[in-house]
Amino acid sequence: MLRIGTQKIENWLVMAPMAGITNLPFRLMVRGLGAGLVTTEMVSAMGLKMRQKKTLEYLRSVPDERPLAVQIFGSVPSVMALAADMAVEAGADIIDINMGCPVKKVTGTGAGASLLRDLDKIKEIVSAVRTACTVPLTVKIRAGWSPEKPVALEVARLAEDYGADAVTLHPRFATQGYGGRADWSLIGEVKERAGIPVLGNGDIIHPSDALEMKKRTGCDGVMIGRAATRNPWIFKQILQMDKGEPVREPDLSERRALIMEHYGYISQYMGEHRAVFYMRGLLIRYTKGLAGSCLFREKITKIRDRASLVSTMDDYFHQMGAIEKGRRA
Ligand SMILES: Cc1cc2nc3c(=O)[nH]c(=O)nc-3n(C[C@H](O)[C@H](O)[C@H](O)COP(=O)(O)O)c2cc1C
């Protein structure tokens, strides 16, 4: 179990906030597959203040996905405080502050990873949000803005001093984007000095990587991003491995069932029409690297409604079943 402030989380695995991905249907699915905590995609504090319709939609949540962390980004302490309050009102169990996004649109406003260049602003934001919200508060940081000035240790300390209940570290610099490798040793250094839980993040690809990160760094929890978008089963697989059980790859019928479950959530929460088009992208992700997936991709682009989705999938999985049978024979 992982404890963040007053919030108890049933295991040590957290789904990373991911813009365009960790929407309500995706969160519901990975909670069902073993993620102990899920996080919204980053939500603009200013967008909430302005009551923009699309931004407010990001706050939509349902009891089945809880506990839920809502991640907010911004650079104005009072606006961040207001946004946190709105998120709690909408059902957030944890507020997470984004201090790691390297995208220009965000850093250009002084938000995201740009905060790592302005430690006074970090103090103001963390204390303003701490004062405004009644739920546990976490911060998600990178190693720093650029290798010339690593600040993770300092920022983790500041966040703790100003009231954060946990810190997540993705140990790359903002200038690196997603290049190079995440420097897990920095997670260990932050953990050694911190009095609050530390979540490690970055480059978990296989289930064994999560156990390895925990062992090497002593971190309290592991946050998983990109790997879960291709293999949402990774949470279950890590938990199996942690218990010393054999790790199972999902079979074809489980893959199909999961895709349909995801589709079900998407059509429930986004509407049938949007769901079919949204599914096209997801199907490409979920079948990447599988036999016959190139041809399947071509067919995916022709899917226009639920009936063609189901029949294209059935054809593909039938074909895959035959290939597997052939392999076993
Ligand atoms: C498509 C995409 C969207 C992301 N969106 C967010 C976001 O909204 N907030 C955030 O803090 N990090 C975001 N990240 C970073 C991830 O949360 C995570 O820190 C990063 O992917 C490293 O973890 P991984 O190696 O397990 O993927 C995003 C990453 C990707 C690839």
Side-chain angles (χ1 to χ4, degrees):
M1 197 187 68
L2 169 66
R3 211 189 165 105
I4 298 181
T6 51
Q7 187 65 53
K8 289 184 194 150
I9 295 154
E10 67 186 46
N11 61 48
W12 49 282
L13 301 177
V14 180
M15 179 66 220
M18 292 183 83
I21 293 175
T22 54
N23 52 21
L24 174 55
F26 186 86
R27 298 194 305 262
L28 276 169
M29 188 187 58
V30 291
R31 270 291 282 147
L33 290 171
L37 175 68
V38 290
T39 315
T40 61
E41 46 197 303
M42 58 180 177
V43 183
S44 159
M46 193 54 87
L48 290 179
K49 179 181 151 78
M50 308 299 280
R51 305 200 68 81
Q52 283 165 357
K53 192 165 167 262
K54 189 157 190 294
T55 313
L56 288 168
E57 264 178 31
Y58 289 134
L59 295 186
R60 184 168 180 200
S61 71
V62 295
D64 281 352
E65 63 172 325
R66 294 176 75 175
L68 171 70
V70 172
Q71 187 189 64
I72 54 173
F73 73 93
S75 61
V76 182
S78 60
V79 177
M80 291 290 274
L82 174 70
D85 189 41
M86 289 172 76
V88 173
E89 195 61 33
D93 297 298
I94 291 175
I95 294 296
D96 183 55
I97 301 177
N98 182 318
M99 297 187 188
C101 180
V103 174
K104 238 192 182 140
K105 214 171 121 192
V106 172
T107 58
T109 65
S114 195
L115 290 170
L116 302 174
R117 296 186 286 192
D118 188 350
L119 304 196
D120 285 336
K121 187 56 80 56
I122 290 182
K123 290 182 200 167
E124 287 174 42
I125 288 181
V126 174
S127 59
V129 174
R130 174 69 292 163
T131 308
C133 79
T134 49
V135 299
L137 171 62
T138 59
V139 297
K140 182 165 178 279
I141 67 174
R142 282 188 174 232
W145 177 261
S146 67
E148 293 77 54
K149 202 166 184 305
V151 292
L153 291 170
E154 211 176 338
V155 171
R157 158 67 46 206
L158 276 183
E160 181 175 347
D161 288 349
Y162 283 80
D165 296 291
V167 57
T168 303
L169 172 61
H170 173 203
R172 280 188 173 91
F173 292 93
T175 50
Q176 279 180 282
Y178 294 93
R181 284 200 57 85
D183 175 11
W184 289 1
S185 67
L186 191 54
I187 299 172
E189 284 180 51
V190 168
K191 171 61 195 169
E192 218 171 85
R193 291 168 177 76
I196 52 177
V198 174
L199 307 185
N201 169 237
D203 296 350
I204 302 297
I205 297 165
H206 303 291
S208 57
D209 297 333
L211 297 169
E212 184 62 24
M213 180 191 270
K214 199 161 181 258
K215 193 169 105 194
R216 280 208 337 231
T217 68
C219 65
D220 302 274
V222 170
M223 177 182 271
I224 301 161
R226 290 164 295 177
T229 66
R230 296 182 294 264
N231 171 23
W233 291 273
I234 195 167
F235 298 101
K236 244 187 192 168
Q237 291 171 330
I238 296 166
L239 296 174
Q240 282 166 346
M241 203 173 253
D242 199 19
K243 282 195 251 159
E245 292 169 5
V247 171
R248 244 175 38 75
E249 284 296 323
D251 64 23
L252 280 182
S253 66
E254 285 167 313
R255 278 182 195 277
R256 190 189 181 286
L258 184 88
I259 291 171
M260 288 315 288
E261 183 189 343
H262 198 172
Y263 174 69
Y265 289 138
I266 295 169
S267 50
Q268 183 177 351
Y269 295 109
M270 293 183 171
E272 188 74 31
H273 183 70
R274 255 173 91 191
V276 167
F277 288 90
Y278 193 83
M279 264 330 264
R280 288 177 174 187
L282 283 179
L283 284 171
I284 289 172
R285 238 166 42 208
Y286 287 155
T287 54
K288 201 170 179 185
L290 296 182
S293 58
C294 286
L295 192 64
F296 181 54
R297 278 172 196 211
E298 261 182 61
K299 291 188 182 161
I300 289 171
T301 57
K302 301 199 175 77
I303 292 173
R304 299 244 169 273
D305 52 27
R306 187 189 154 87
S308 58
L309 173 82
V310 172
S311 70
T312 310
M313 272 199 17
D314 282 348
D315 284 353
Y316 176 67
F317 280 97
H318 186 73
Q319 209 182 343
M320 288 276 294
I323 294 172
E324 272 199 359
K325 233 183 202 167
R327 276 201 193 122
R328 280 198 301 265

